[in-house]
Amino acid sequence: DIVMSQSPDSLPVSLGERATINCKSSHTVLHSSFNKNYIAWYQQKPGQPPKLLIYWASTRESGVPDRFSGSGSGTDFTLTINSLQAEDVAVYYCQQYYTTPRTFGQGTKVEVK
Amino acid sequence: DVHLVESGGGLVQPGGSQRLSCAGSGFRFESYWMSWVRQAPGAGLEWVASIKDDGSEKDYADSVKGRFTISRDNGQNSLYLQMDSLRGDDTAVYFCAREAPYGDYLYYFDYWGQGALVTVSS
């Protein structure tokens, strides 16, 4: 199985500042034939299901604010939240869909400093 | 709007069985792969099982293989998860999730239900 490791586990950020979450996979998730990275990012607020933010490592889902962006390739990926808003407080998960079983990172809790 | 609504959660004894249902609406249910993903209390997300749009292919996590069965009824726009031989570590919120709209398997999940809590305890 591909192991997804996120850092940090907890991230205190002041409102209006940038939050950067890292995700590392134990195996490349870059499909060379399609030149696509099989990585998605989700946001989960307390008591709610996960919400899709980013797919193909950097494509923003419709309706997601442009302060959210994804980057990276191969085994190292980043989710950036520019100018953190109060409503962005949540746990963020990366997920690989390169192979089965699809696996998730352990989550990063973003909170207001 | 896409809606996924789970039902059937509850308290079950170790070794017992439980059946979860998920009702889909707002999209062509019969055209999508569907999945179950679970989340133990205070923990992360774990993919459980997936089923092809016509029900002809299924995939399971090793942790549930041989104990859980995923199925669907496209006429009823419904997804099911039959859980047998339940153990304490199966305690979790079970989410129904729609596979991304590529008409194929192994993508991200673009819509999720609110989840159903299954507690396995004596």
Side-chain angles (χ1 to χ4, degrees):
Chain A
D1 299 2
I2 295 179
V3 177
M4 307 299 291
S5 300
Q6 290 182 228
S7 62
D9 291 335
S10 180
L11 182 60
V13 177
S14 298
L15 291 176
E17 296 300 306
R18 176 179 297 169
T20 301
I21 301 168
N22 301 302
C23 175
K24 188 173 183 67
S25 59
S26 62
H27 184 278
T28 183
V29 294
L30 171 62
H31 200 303
S32 54
S33 300
F34 306 125
N35 195 31
K36 284 182 178 290
N37 288 282
Y38 283 49
I39 285 286
W41 288 93
Y42 301 87
Q43 174 194 65
Q44 187 178 31
K45 298 180 179 180
Q48 296 186 20
K51 174 189 173 183
L52 177 66
L53 295 177
I54 302 280
Y55 54 94
W56 300 126
S58 60
T59 302
R60 201 178 302 114
E61 172 73 333
S62 175
V64 173
D66 61 8
R67 62 180 180 273
F68 291 91
S69 63
S71 62
S73 185
T75 61
D76 293 279
F77 300 89
T78 300
L79 175 70
T80 301
I81 310 172
N82 282 307
S83 186
L84 187 80
Q85 305 297 302
E87 62 263 32
D88 300 334
V89 168
V91 179
Y92 293 84
Y93 295 93
C94 60
Q95 178 224 332
Q96 66 80 19
Y97 47 99
Y98 182 83
T99 189
T100 188
R102 282 166 287 185
T103 47
F104 296 84
Q106 80 277 17
T108 294
K109 186 175 184 178
V110 173
E111 53 194 12
V112 175
K113 185 188 291 183
Chain B
D1 286 5
V2 172
H3 286 286
L4 298 168
V5 180
E6 300 91 342
S7 60
L11 177 64
V12 60
Q13 291 192 337
S17 299
Q18 194 84 347
R19 189 195 197 206
L20 299 180
S21 300
C22 170
S25 61
F27 65 104
R28 283 178 56 88
F29 186 83
E30 66 271 22
S31 298
Y32 289 83
W33 280 76
M34 296 294 296
S35 296
W36 290 97
V37 178
R38 69 184 180 183
Q39 185 170 37
L45 300 164
E46 179 189 16
W47 167 77
V48 172
S50 298
I51 186 168
K52 192 178 179 182
D53 47 12
D54 64 0
S56 63
E57 295 180 34
K58 302 176 184 181
D59 191 17
Y60 296 94
D62 285 347
S63 59
V64 307
K65 200 171 292 183
R67 300 188 300 122
F68 289 12
T69 302
I70 189 171
S71 63
R72 65 192 296 161
D73 182 343
N74 287 340
Q76 297 293 319
N77 289 345
S78 293
L79 175 72
Y80 305 103
L81 185 67
Q82 176 66 40
M83 303 181 291
D84 299 319
S85 302
L86 282 162
R87 312 184 302 222
D89 60 359
D90 294 317
T91 294
V93 174
Y94 286 75
F95 295 103
C96 164
R98 193 183 82 166
E99 200 83 19
Y102 296 101
D104 200 351
Y105 180 47
L106 215 60
Y107 290 101
Y108 50 90
F109 307 107
D110 62 352
Y111 286 94
W112 300 62
Q114 288 295 318
L117 175 62
V118 175
T119 303
V120 183
S121 175
S122 54

